[in-house]
Amino acid sequence: EEVTAVEEILSLLEDDIEKDMRQDHNSDQNILHLHSGFIQNCTDDLQSEAAQIDSQVKAVSAAEDELRTCTREAEALNQNATRLCNRTHGFSSKELTSFSRCVALGSIVRDEISKYLACVQQEFEEDLQQAKSLFGSCNRSTDEYNAKTVHCIDVQTQWEQASCDLQKTSASVCSAYAKCHTREVARFDAIKRQILPAEEGRKAQAKAVEKIRCLLTSILQVNASELAGDDEDRLRECEGLAGEEAAGRFTLEYPALPNSTACPWEAWAENASGLQCNKEDITTTPPTAP
């Protein structure tokens, strides 16, 4: 009966107590890995935004290139309009006020006066037609410049809107990542603080179980009512067991936590374009290359 009782105690140690300890150990280990994974999820979520933000970056770059091109074209049209209008002004201010091809009046003879007036009229009409032709070129080039300016303002508005959209998206994504990483690391640390005492308790319990198992096994090996010398030595060995190996089987693995990574779009989040994107309406100015 005594032997049976000892065997039952051994069975209880192995089938119930150690089994429960192992389940608790595995549960805590899974919790640690789970919360470590939550931290990695923050980085995964950040990387999942890459396609959308990269698309916005390309839109900003394309709009910026278009604005530069438009600005150069507008400047070229402005220079051309200035040149043609200066030419019109120079011709009109000189030729329409001077009639150098007509012989100056030197007498009051009617025929001389008539000839001079006819000459002046002919020369004025010829110069006037040329002045009108020059003014037409001036007028068309100015209209082309004005039309290009209006177009460039539209392009600039598109660039500003795309830049502000990118800034808002980047700021939101980078902020969400920073908050997520900070939150999940704090949660992991809190879970770790909760688990550590339970881990130390199981390790201490494992050492005690190992010693008890040793003692009970020694008792089962006794063939007589009195312990033989070898049995006494065995019991002393059981009493002196450190149990480090048993405790080691219940030592948790604390996973290395993913480091915080720099948000790839931090520069845009901090307003790389230099625009006042907090305004609801974007105020445009004459086209200026970014």
Side-chain angles (χ1 to χ4, degrees), residues 76-116:
L77 289 173
N78 184 40
Q79 292 176 0
N80 186 54
T82 300
R83 179 180 60 82
L84 292 175
C85 291
N86 280 337
R87 183 180 176 187
T88 302
H89 176 269
F91 179 86
S92 300
S93 60
K94 179 180 178 181
E95 300 298 334
L96 294 183
T97 58
S98 172
F99 308 102
S100 57
R101 289 176 293 174
C102 299
V103 178
L105 284 173
S107 69
I108 59 173
V109 178
R110 183 187 66 179
D111 290 344
E112 293 295 328
I113 295 174
S114 177
K115 288 179 181 180
Y116 177 74

Side-chain angles (χ1 to χ4, degrees), residues 31-76:
I31 290 173
L32 289 172
H33 284 298
L34 178 66
H35 281 271
S36 174
F38 288 160
I39 301 174
Q40 182 60 43
N41 289 344
C42 297
T43 303
D44 294 342
D45 290 344
L46 176 67
Q47 294 172 348
S48 71
E49 300 288 349
Q52 176 188 354
I53 297 184
D54 287 347
S55 176
Q56 289 185 285
V57 170
K58 290 178 181 178
V60 170
S61 179
E64 186 175 335
D65 290 342
E66 185 178 359
L67 180 56
R68 286 198 180 99
T69 300
C70 192
T71 301
R72 287 194 297 268
E73 292 175 350
E75 180 59 27

Side-chain angles (χ1 to χ4, degrees), residues 33-281:
H33 284 298
L34 178 66
H35 281 271
S36 174
F38 288 160
I39 301 174
Q40 182 60 43
N41 289 344
C42 297
T43 303
D44 294 342
D45 290 344
L46 176 67
Q47 294 172 348
S48 71
E49 300 288 349
Q52 176 188 354
I53 297 184
D54 287 347
S55 176
Q56 289 185 285
V57 170
K58 290 178 181 178
V60 170
S61 179
E64 186 175 335
D65 290 342
E66 185 178 359
L67 180 56
R68 286 198 180 99
T69 300
C70 192
T71 301
R72 287 194 297 268
E73 292 175 350
E75 180 59 27
L77 289 173
N78 184 40
Q79 292 176 0
N80 186 54
T82 300
R83 179 180 60 82
L84 292 175
C85 291
N86 280 337
R87 183 180 176 187
T88 302
H89 176 269
F91 179 86
S92 300
S93 60
K94 179 180 178 181
E95 300 298 334
L96 294 183
T97 58
S98 172
F99 308 102
S100 57
R101 289 176 293 174
C102 299
V103 178
L105 284 173
S107 69
I108 59 173
V109 178
R110 183 187 66 179
D111 290 344
E112 293 295 328
I113 295 174
S114 177
K115 288 179 181 180
Y116 177 74
L117 292 176
C119 177
V120 168
Q121 181 178 2
Q122 180 180 0
E123 185 175 349
F124 180 79
E125 287 178 353
E126 291 175 356
D127 290 342
L128 181 60
Q129 289 302 316
Q130 186 172 353
K132 288 182 177 180
S133 176
L134 291 172
F135 176 72
S137 298
C138 167
N139 190 47
R140 286 190 297 274
S141 62
T142 300
D143 286 344
E144 289 176 357
Y145 167 69
N146 290 337
K148 178 63 71 172
T149 298
V150 172
H151 175 66
C152 288
I153 290 176
D154 290 340
V155 173
Q156 181 170 337
T157 300
Q158 294 172 11
W159 169 70
E160 291 179 351
Q161 188 64 61
S163 297
C164 287
D165 288 345
L166 175 56
Q167 179 195 344
K168 292 175 183 177
T169 301
S170 300
S172 175
V173 169
C174 290
S175 175
Y177 167 72
K179 291 178 181 178
C180 179
H181 190 273
T182 300
R183 180 185 66 247
E184 295 306 329
V185 167
R187 286 179 177 174
F188 181 91
D189 290 341
I191 290 293
K192 182 178 178 180
R193 287 193 298 270
Q194 293 175 6
I195 286 177
L196 275 171
E199 178 190 17
E200 293 302 317
R202 281 193 296 271
K203 290 162 68 174
Q205 190 175 4
K207 292 179 182 180
V209 168
E210 185 71 8
K211 187 176 294 187
I212 294 172
R213 178 187 288 109
C214 179
L215 291 170
L216 293 176
T217 302
S218 297
I219 291 174
L220 288 176
Q221 292 175 348
V222 175
N223 295 322
S225 59
E226 294 183 0
L227 295 176
D230 291 342
D231 297 319
E232 292 177 354
D233 292 339
R234 174 62 176 165
L235 291 177
R236 282 195 294 270
E237 290 177 5
C238 292
E239 290 291 344
L241 281 177
E244 294 300 330
E245 182 180 349
R249 293 194 294 269
F250 292 93
T251 298
L252 290 169
E253 174 191 351
Y254 290 88
L257 302 186
N259 292 325
S260 176
T261 183
C263 184
W265 310 285
E266 193 65 41
W268 281 107
E270 295 177 355
N271 194 13
S273 65
L275 297 171
Q276 296 181 352
C277 294
N278 56 327
K279 294 183 178 181
E280 292 184 3
D281 298 322

